[in-house]
Amino acid sequence: MTGGLARAGGRLAALLMVGAVCQTGPAGATATGPGPTVPAQGAAVQAASVRPDIVTWGASADGMGQGTPDRGYRLVVHTSAAGTGLRVRVSNAFGDRPLTLDSVYAGIQRAGAALEPGSNRRLTFDGARTVTVPAGATAWSDPLPGILPAASNLVVSLHSPDAAGPATGHGMAMQTSYVTQGDHTAEESAADWTDTTDSWWYLDSVAVRPRNRDTGAVAALGDSITDGWASTGDQNRRWPDYLARRLQKAGTEIKGVADEGISGNMVLADGAGQAALNRLDRDVLSQPGLRTVFLFEGVNDIKAHTGVTAAGLIAGYREIVRRAHAAGKCVVASTVGPFEGWPEWDQAGEAVRRQVNQYIRTSGAFDAVADFDRILRSPYDQARLLPFLDSGDHLHPNDKGMQAMADSVDLASLDCDH
């Protein structure tokens, strides 16, 4: 088969799968979340509690400035695991008033804001087309029947008639999404979606029901490196993306990957997003099918010059492990990468980093350890990134560095029981 025919066949196969993805009609309602939730009723709640769903995409919630009434968002997200019964979680975690979404659709991206013909289907919430999410709450949609393939470019379109006050979303998406005024969520054409956004709005999780009931997921809790800063935009080259691609090909029960990184995030203190300790339940432990927390965070605490000590940061790690274990989740931790050459680097911070890394490697506090420091550092100067893997700012890895990190993870370590 020639390349052109192969691509055409692939597009046809994808289109056929899309037809299976989004059939009309809800298959039961559910509304859950780590904080206050939108009420669901009777048998729907019971059904939701036993569904073997797993997260196939996730992004940490954060404050996003002021909401805009009559604004539509067409949000492009790249899934990991395959499954049926697509559901999305919308979030008003940082709102100070109820958020009403009067139209939410899910489809498959064709190119830009255009969708594959026939793929765009309405999502409902407890059987209704409109959902009102209380301040601080989240709400899950009803599942859509059909199969969503792994590694799909899913497009969630949503509209709020009266959004106001603080909005919730994820600021640094490393992905182009689209904006419009008015409700154009049902349209598959890109004609009315002429503005763009580099953020995800009001959406923080997508889940599916995998074929194998034993399939689980991992959530990466991290900062800008996990969030994908300095990787190529619109190409899904964050290290959790590379990890997801490995997992899809591997004989492991872990297939779902949620990227819960926030640029600038710290373990101990709020600032760029809530501290890891403060957002752990909402962003990570609430994810359906979660089996393992992958903890890769601490460099911002160290370089912020706020007096954080190795003992203080280690205490934060221990608290994350305690809470994750109490929730029945495993914790894999990575060492903190080198950053000499970044403007905030100094010898005192380097000493803390090395003490923390020694603890991560040798304490036995974690269910497994990934040593990103060893992968990323120069053999000639262990405080510096290897130039081949350096984006140029001496803190964030480039695409090759992101892939090297993901390639170094022992996949078997993610598939543990606690």
Side-chain angles (χ1 to χ4, degrees):
M1 180 181 290
T2 66
L5 289 174
R7 287 190 293 272
R11 286 193 295 270
L12 177 59
L15 185 56
L16 292 174
M17 288 187 287
V18 168
V21 172
C22 300
Q23 304 298 322
T24 57
T30 173
T32 62
T37 58
V38 177
Q41 301 298 322
V45 175
Q46 297 175 8
S49 68
V50 299
R51 280 177 55 83
D53 288 359
I54 65 169
V55 59
T56 186
W57 174 87
S60 299
D62 199 3
M64 293 284 290
Q66 297 296 300
T68 303
D70 198 26
R71 174 70 56 86
Y73 297 96
R74 176 153 283 181
L75 308 171
V76 181
V77 304
H78 190 67
T79 66
S80 53
T84 61
L86 166 73
R87 302 163 73 216
V88 307
R89 187 170 74 178
V90 292
S91 178
N92 192 24
F94 290 85
D96 64 0
R97 67 200 72 190
L99 168 71
T100 295
L101 300 173
D102 61 0
S103 187
V104 183
Y105 276 74
I108 300 295
Q109 185 182 37
R110 185 171 197 177
L115 307 182
E116 289 285 2
S119 72
N120 202 29
R121 292 294 183 269
R122 183 186 291 275
L123 288 164
T124 59
F125 296 80
D126 199 20
R129 294 184 174 190
T130 297
V131 61
T132 297
V133 188
T138 62
W140 281 101
S141 73
D142 304 322
L144 288 174
I147 300 171
L148 179 70
S152 295
N153 278 352
L154 180 71
V155 179
V156 178
S157 303
L158 52 85
H159 173 263
S160 176
D162 55 2
T168 298
H170 186 87
M172 194 184 80
M174 302 301 295
Q175 173 68 54
T176 302
S177 291
Y178 301 88
V179 181
T180 188
Q181 282 298 114
D183 183 5
H184 301 280
T185 53
E187 300 170 7
E188 294 177 334
S189 165
D192 289 308
W193 298 90
T194 54
D195 294 328
T196 62
T197 176
D198 295 325
S199 302
W200 290 305
W201 296 78
Y202 303 116
L203 176 72
D204 76 344
S205 188
V206 178
V208 294
R209 181 187 301 171
R211 178 180 298 179
N212 183 347
R213 291 183 59 88
D214 295 326
T215 302
V218 58
L221 176 60
D223 48 41
S224 58
I225 299 176
T226 297
D227 211 7
W229 179 251
S231 67
T232 303
D234 294 327
Q235 296 298 312
N236 303 302
R237 293 179 182 175
R238 314 164 191 86
W239 74 261
D241 295 319
Y242 284 109
L243 179 63
R245 287 190 275 273
R246 286 188 66 205
L247 288 168
Q248 300 317 307
K249 299 175 182 178
T252 174
E253 291 180 349
I254 301 297
K255 298 296 182 184
V257 178
D259 186 336
E260 303 298 333
I262 295 181
S263 181
N265 199 230
M266 292 185 281
V267 174
L268 303 176
D270 292 346
Q274 292 179 320
L277 285 168
N278 294 334
R279 65 187 184 91
L280 177 66
D281 291 350
R282 180 192 63 241
D283 289 349
V284 177
L285 299 182
S286 72
Q287 296 295 348
L290 181 72
R291 193 169 301 170
T292 301
V293 179
F294 194 112
L295 174 61
F296 176 45
E297 191 154 4
V299 69
N300 289 316
D301 298 77
I302 293 169
K303 69 182 182 60
H305 302 297
T306 58
V308 170
T309 63
L313 192 49
I314 288 167
Y317 292 157
R318 286 175 172 164
E319 177 64 12
I320 289 172
V321 171
R322 184 193 67 77
R323 288 164 56 189
H325 283 174
K329 316 303 179 186
C330 295
V331 181
V332 176
S334 173
T335 50
V336 179
F339 66 101
E340 184 179 358
W342 179 264
E344 293 169 296
W345 184 91
D346 61 16
Q347 289 287 353
E350 179 64 14
V352 171
R353 186 183 75 88
R354 295 195 184 205
Q355 292 172 51
V356 166
N357 283 350
Q358 180 69 8
Y359 172 82
I360 292 171
R361 292 185 181 112
T362 64
S363 68
F366 308 99
D367 297 287
V369 171
D371 203 339
F372 287 169
D373 173 47
R374 292 189 187 276
I375 295 302
L376 295 172
R377 72 191 186 195
S378 168
Y380 308 107
D381 184 349
Q382 296 188 2
R384 285 185 175 271
L385 282 171
L386 184 67
F388 179 69
L389 305 179
D390 189 348
S391 67
D393 67 12
H394 312 302
L395 172 63
H396 300 94
N398 57 21
D399 290 354
K400 294 182 178 65
M402 295 284 184
Q403 184 169 11
M405 293 161 63
D407 286 349
S408 74
V409 175
D410 177 8
L411 299 186
S413 73
L414 303 178
D415 191 7
C416 64
D417 295 314
H418 193 277

